[in-house]
Amino acid sequence: MTTQTPAISKAFYAIIAGVGGGTGRAVALRFARTYPVAVLARTEASYAGIVDEVVRRGGEAVGVSADVADEKSLASALEVVREKFKGKGLAVGVYNVGAGLSIKPFLETTVEDLDQSLASNVRGLYNFAHSTLPSLLDSVSANPPYPPTLLVTGATASLRGAARFGTFAAGKFAVRALSQSLAREFGPQGVHVAHVVVDGVIEGPRTKGYTVNEGVEDGKLDPEAIAESYWHLHTQHRSAFTHELDLRPYVEKF
Amino acid sequence: MTTQTPAISKAFYAIIAGVGGGTGRAVALRFARTYPVAVLARTEASYAGIVDEVVRRGGEAVGVSADVADEKSLASALEVVREKFKGKGLAVGVYNVGAGLSIKPFLETTVEDLDQSLASNVRGLYNFAHSTLPSLLDSVSANPPYPPTLLVTGATASLRGAARFGTFAAGKFAVRALSQSLAREFGPQGVHVAHVVVDGVIEGPRTKGYTVNEGVEDGKLDPEAIAESYWHLHTQHRSAFTHELDLRPYVEKF
Amino acid sequence: MTTQTPAISKAFYAIIAGVGGGTGRAVALRFARTYPVAVLARTEASYAGIVDEVVRRGGEAVGVSADVADEKSLASALEVVREKFKGKGLAVGVYNVGAGLSIKPFLETTVEDLDQSLASNVRGLYNFAHSTLPSLLDSVSANPPYPPTLLVTGATASLRGAARFGTFAAGKFAVRALSQSLAREFGPQGVHVAHVVVDGVIEGPRTKGYTVNEGVEDGKLDPEAIAESYWHLHTQHRSAFTHELDLRPYVEKF
Amino acid sequence: MTTQTPAISKAFYAIIAGVGGGTGRAVALRFARTYPVAVLARTEASYAGIVDEVVRRGGEAVGVSADVADEKSLASALEVVREKFKGKGLAVGVYNVGAGLSIKPFLETTVEDLDQSLASNVRGLYNFAHSTLPSLLDSVSANPPYPPTLLVTGATASLRGAARFGTFAAGKFAVRALSQSLAREFGPQGVHVAHVVVDGVIEGPRTKGYTVNEGVEDGKLDPEAIAESYWHLHTQHRSAFTHELDLRPYVEKF
């Protein structure tokens, strides 16, 4: 059953959408140990450093600007990626986008808060899945090192609509719904779709100032630790796919 | 604790959005036994018969055309309603809208399928809740017969993203997220927000031809039975609010 | 579809197991408005007052001592009940037992804490269901006013294994498992099985001293309010059965 | 963050309870690549082959007969293990016991079916956790290669009480309750408690004859694939613990 990890795959590549934060970066670096990686973000500033870092470590990477909530923007970006990795199959797509966090009393929100959450969460996933699943299906029969995989990042708000998180939770619940549906449709076709509930604050520049879990060591999620679980999901044998797992700091209340 | 049901309330009214199918109609008729009711639907054809029926039974009703997914359309409709019921408080709002059911292989769907599901499900609820919660809050201190209530209709797809139901489930999960969030924010302020998971096919003209549960008697949900549970939710004492319940035929697999 | 509530049924009776606290008492009094009721508790002190109260209000009641976790004790008690209500069918059984709450660090618990929780929660329900379901099935075809019903009381710990609540939650989760299974098996045979998640502190002599929800009015569940929802569940039409609902004070965090 | 996997740890060992089937065996062999392992089963026949296999592969193992549902039996067995691995810390305990599967109409079950399910599932886990958590806590500060871990095997029936599975589901739900509670209490103390929902039929001698998922290749869970996920859970960084994941064949309906 076990497959040796190829040094760097010549035949397959990975796409990670949403590398503006620490998780996307760590996931890209983790998958780049095995695959050439394409990293997508709204702005070059978000991915330039990652591409450099992958190359510095002996890997291969391409960065492309894209707004995944916009079908055409994503389509153009994927064209660039496919040109770059022509002849390779898609091994894994990671959907790690999801802005739209606005914590406000409901009556102070506007419908734009909702629309932004829906766009960056579920419409983005819709577009990303719609564009990458045909390639993932093609890879099933192309002797990939591991089952072709679509990984989706969720959050606490994927499972719980907390007070004042309504518009955000709407987007996250919708992402979970679509992920489940895709898992049920594409699993039997050999594509592994998994949803990861990240339940806590992720360590990174944006969260440096946050005191969570009373500031104890490892009280925020280490992006590299998250990336290890993404990699594990990708490497699961098709007889034992995980559809959903949670990740949280050992001290996190849940 | 118990409160006598007023014959027909002079001081409060109810709004039911989404009366094109059997559930909305039955809910409107049930609540019209106590309150003047406003019924909203996209087209007059959907509500005209209900208004007549309420009046015939000695109640009071107004019907207004509205597209709840469109902020302005809903705002105009509510203005008509408020003018009609001037001086009365809002006792209950029922959100029973939710089209966007398209059962298709994912790769045959378009982003419009998703957008339509999100619009009629969660954007509609957002608009409806945003417009009615201020009135419901006002009613808390106006000595209403029962706690002011916002009731939301869900479906099997609110809890489960089945294969080929992805775009529909996205909208329904999002509605559930928002309902939970509203319950947690407005419950402590005295407004009861409840979400009803209708898990089965509802009896009605549209489903007459469907054979479900092998065609056994009562194998589809009777809209009047649904309406009884909506009414029960509305009458719950604030010390014992239900946030979510399921409703399904006795023979339904779950 | 609607059925007139019979004054006091001559043909059917109800059994409520677990009337030591406020909920069992209120449920017994609520159902006694329609049915003769049998009330079971470990000690006469728990039910004597209820029997008197029912009679005082013009109803009919019998109290019997029983330990539901003990098959034989329950069997003897039910024999007394059946003798008393000979010729009547069983309309409803309510399982409202469930001691075994011990909130302790896990390493300070003993296996007896676990065994006590399992016995009073799930073994008790097993015995009660095993003894009453044949009668409830018999009633299905005996033209009962409402579908024969088995109602089960759950708690916050039915859905969540909180720290230091492990042995208690084990019993409550197990009750929920069994309730679900019974609903799925007996629903299609016409018996309504429902599980009620009581999520909060119930008002009563035992909880008088507890300050919950900052002591606000109605911050504890009113047993009469709980009883209204039990009654509603019993009266649901078979085309729209609820299997599970939650009940909590409007101010309760969830 | 990453730690090199030690060849074979000299300082820590693992215990796997329940090695009569394929999962326990595969988990034991997987963990034996890093740790000396103790394997517990009711009968020597269940573990003798595993001990030999571990030794043949250059590892270290001890097998002991025990009935985990019986406190004293388990205590004696653990004494043998501790004597054998004196001086080493406990790195991981795996609870993989859980008989009591009896699929029968409820009225054909007996209370012994329930008691057997509760004993082998939740009382066994209670005993196992009670006996091993003090050692796992000791290991937290003993510089272990990975956070000390308690892994618990669940099943489809951990989440769903299907018709005719009531007594089995009662035991499995209870195990899940206790696992959650332990995770919440011991996680903040540095011990990782995880619950794995195995949702499908596991490949092995006992299931050879079963045709599941129309007999397609990999339609049953490969025990080695399960073991890889157990190992992954054990190696998770404490900033990103998973409490629960599901494992199922790609073709399994869910």
Side-chain angles (χ1 to χ4, degrees), chain A residues 207-251:
Chain A
T207 64
K208 200 140 232 169
Y210 298 12
T211 299
V212 290
N213 293 315
E214 290 152 25
V216 299
E217 201 187 350
D218 297 325
K220 297 176 192 165
L221 292 113
D222 180 333
E224 288 184 37
I226 297 174
E228 285 302 321
S229 285
Y230 278 58
W231 179 253
H232 172 68
L233 288 168
H234 173 51
T235 65
Q236 285 184 321
H237 187 245
R238 69 176 178 171
S239 82
F241 280 167
T242 291
H243 173 59
E244 190 165 83
L245 57 75
D246 48 325
L247 291 174
R248 71 175 60 77
Y250 69 118
V251 287

Side-chain angles (χ1 to χ4, degrees), chain B:
Chain B
M1 196 204 76
T2 338
T3 313
Q4 274 310 104
T5 301
I8 295 275
S9 169
K10 299 284 185 216
F12 294 92
Y13 69 102
I15 304 179
I16 294 93
V19 296
T23 305
R25 182 182 183 278
V27 170
L29 293 174
R30 182 65 187 82
F31 281 76
R33 286 156 56 182
T34 300
Y35 300 114
V37 296
V39 288
L40 309 186
R42 276 166 175 276
T43 62
E44 194 181 336
S46 294
Y47 60 74
I50 302 172
V51 171
D52 291 348
E53 180 68 18
V54 168
V55 172
R56 210 183 50 76
R57 297 185 186 188
E60 193 181 352
V62 60
V64 193
S65 301
D67 172 3
V68 290
D70 174 343
E71 251 183 309
K72 282 178 194 155
S73 166
L74 179 62
S76 315
L78 291 180
E79 220 168 294
V80 175
V81 172
R82 283 173 186 136
E83 185 56 32
K84 169 79 181 176
F85 294 139
K86 200 184 280 186
K88 298 189 198 298
L90 182 61
V92 59
V94 178
Y95 188 76
N96 184 52
V97 183
L101 174 54
S102 77
I103 311 176
K104 284 192 245 177
F106 178 67
L107 295 175
E108 294 174 19
T109 64
T110 64
V111 76
E112 283 71 35
D113 290 312
L114 177 71
D115 285 345
Q116 195 191 329
S117 170
L118 296 175
S120 81
N121 284 294
V122 72
R123 194 185 297 114
L125 172 60
Y126 179 93
N127 288 335
F128 186 73
H130 216 267
S131 308
T132 56
L133 277 163
S135 305
L136 292 167
L137 286 169
D138 285 346
S139 296
V140 172
S141 51
N143 195 28
Y146 305 106
T149 306
L150 175 62
L151 295 171
V152 181
T153 303
T156 315
S158 304
L159 295 175
R160 181 183 158 77
R164 301 184 302 133
F165 280 76
T167 57
F168 185 59
K172 289 296 182 196
F173 270 55
V175 159
R176 186 168 180 252
L178 185 53
S179 300
Q180 271 187 20
S181 181
L182 296 175
R184 290 183 166 113
E185 183 173 347
F186 293 93
Q189 300 177 59
V191 176
H192 183 186
V193 181
H195 180 250
V196 179
V197 177
V198 179
D199 181 25
V201 170
I202 300 168
E203 186 71 60
R206 282 191 297 202
T207 64
K208 200 141 231 167
Y210 299 11
T211 300
V212 291
N213 293 314
E214 290 151 25
V216 298
E217 200 186 353
D218 296 326
K220 298 176 192 166
L221 292 113
D222 179 332
E224 288 184 39
I226 298 174
E228 284 302 322
S229 285
Y230 278 57
W231 180 253
H232 173 67
L233 287 168
H234 174 52
T235 64
Q236 285 184 321
H237 187 245
R238 69 174 177 172
S239 83
F241 279 167
T242 290
H243 173 58
E244 189 166 81
L245 58 75
D246 48 326
L247 291 175
R248 70 175 61 76
Y250 69 118
V251 286
E252 188 78 20
K253 285 252 164 53
F254 74 104

Side-chain angles (χ1 to χ4, degrees), chain D residues 43-252:
Chain D
T43 62
E44 195 181 334
S46 292
Y47 59 75
I50 301 173
V51 171
D52 290 349
E53 181 68 18
V54 168
V55 171
R56 210 183 52 72
R57 297 187 187 187
E60 194 180 351
V62 59
V64 194
S65 301
D67 173 3
V68 292
D70 174 343
E71 250 183 308
K72 282 178 193 153
S73 167
L74 180 62
S76 313
L78 291 180
E79 221 169 293
V80 174
V81 172
R82 281 170 187 142
E83 185 56 33
K84 169 78 182 178
F85 294 139
K86 199 183 281 183
K88 297 189 199 300
L90 183 60
V92 60
V94 178
Y95 188 75
N96 185 52
V97 183
L101 174 55
S102 76
I103 311 175
K104 285 191 246 180
F106 177 67
L107 294 175
E108 294 174 19
T109 64
T110 65
V111 76
E112 283 72 35
D113 289 313
L114 177 71
D115 285 345
Q116 196 190 327
S117 171
L118 296 175
S120 81
N121 284 295
V122 71
R123 194 186 299 115
L125 172 60
Y126 178 92
N127 288 335
F128 185 74
H130 216 267
S131 308
T132 56
L133 276 164
S135 305
L136 291 168
L137 286 169
D138 285 346
S139 296
V140 171
S141 51
N143 195 28
Y146 305 106
T149 306
L150 177 61
L151 297 171
V152 180
T153 303
T156 315
S158 304
L159 295 175
R160 183 183 157 77
R164 299 185 304 131
F165 281 76
T167 57
F168 185 60
K172 290 296 183 197
F173 270 55
V175 159
R176 186 167 179 254
L178 185 52
S179 300
Q180 270 186 21
S181 181
L182 296 175
R184 290 182 166 113
E185 183 174 347
F186 293 94
Q189 301 178 57
V191 176
H192 183 186
V193 181
H195 179 251
V196 179
V197 178
V198 179
D199 181 24
V201 171
I202 300 170
E203 185 71 60
R206 282 191 298 202
T207 63
K208 199 140 233 168
Y210 299 12
T211 300
V212 291
N213 292 316
E214 290 152 25
V216 299
E217 203 187 351
D218 297 325
K220 297 176 191 166
L221 292 113
D222 180 333
E224 288 183 39
I226 298 175
E228 285 302 322
S229 285
Y230 278 57
W231 180 253
H232 173 66
L233 287 167
H234 173 51
T235 64
Q236 285 183 322
H237 187 244
R238 69 174 177 173
S239 82
F241 279 167
T242 290
H243 173 58
E244 189 164 84
L245 58 74
D246 49 327
L247 290 175
R248 71 175 58 79
Y250 69 118
V251 286
E252 189 78 22

